């Protein structure tokens, strides 16, 4: 459990990194404070939603994709902060899509994609 809490703390540190380096460039302190007070979207939720879609699309053929997606979405769901972030649904939808892909893999079902 201690390792799990350390992983969550590490993921919370990473999600606040400004990769491009100019997020608040040229803004006054009042503007920075206002922007920081607005609710944001958890980046791990968006990633979980995207790989959940891959798990749904390719899970019936490759069973490891939904399993990895489930693990990722469940672990990163603990990084969701109700006070600073406004939408937990990408996590839920990613989990549901990966469950559907895993179910289809177990049952031997497949769907025909347009691609």
């Amino acid at each position: 459990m201690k390792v799990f809490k350390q992983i969550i703390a590490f993921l919370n540190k990473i999600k606040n990194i400004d990769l491009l380096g100019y997020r608040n460039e040229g803004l006054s302190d009042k503007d920075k404070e206002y922007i920081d007070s607005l609710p944001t979207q958890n980046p791990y939720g968006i990633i979980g939603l995207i790989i959940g879609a891959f798990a749904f699309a390719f899970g019936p053929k490759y069973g490891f994709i939904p399993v990895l997606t489930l693990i990722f979405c469940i672990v990163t769901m603990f990084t969701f902060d109700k006070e600073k972030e406004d939408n937990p649904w990408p996590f839920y939808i990613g989990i549901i899509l990966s469950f559907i892909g895993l179910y289809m893999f177990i049952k031997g079902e497949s769907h025909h994609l347009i691609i």
Side-chain angles (χ1 to χ4, degrees):
M1 192 62 154
K2 187 176 183 180
V3 173
F4 182 72
K5 288 182 181 180
Q6 289 176 344
I7 291 171
I8 297 303
F10 176 72
L11 290 172
N12 279 330
K13 286 180 189 175
I14 289 178
K15 74 178 179 182
N16 294 327
I17 293 176
D18 185 16
L19 293 176
L20 299 176
Y22 57 84
R23 178 177 167 219
N24 292 331
E25 186 177 316
L27 296 177
S28 68
D29 290 335
K30 184 179 176 183
D31 291 338
K32 289 178 187 177
E33 183 179 313
Y34 175 72
I35 289 174
D36 290 338
S37 70
L38 294 175
T40 61
Q41 182 62 46
N42 191 319
Y44 300 123
I46 300 297
I47 293 169
L49 178 65
I50 291 169
I51 62 174
F54 282 120
F56 175 74
F58 302 112
K61 190 171 183 179
Y62 306 105
F64 68 93
I65 297 174
V67 173
L68 293 176
T69 303
L70 275 173
I71 293 170
F72 177 81
C73 287
I74 291 171
V75 168
T76 57
M77 192 165 60
F78 291 102
T79 65
F80 182 74
D81 185 10
K82 292 180 182 178
E83 295 175 5
K84 295 181 181 177
E85 297 161 351
D86 62 347
N87 193 4
W89 277 97
F91 291 108
Y92 303 149
I93 295 172
I95 290 170
I96 290 169
L97 288 173
S98 60
F99 269 130
I100 293 171
L102 184 62
Y103 176 78
M104 290 176 72
F105 176 75
I106 291 170
K107 287 295 218 177
E109 302 283 333
S110 65
H111 49 249
H112 301 286
L113 299 174
I114 296 172
I115 303 172

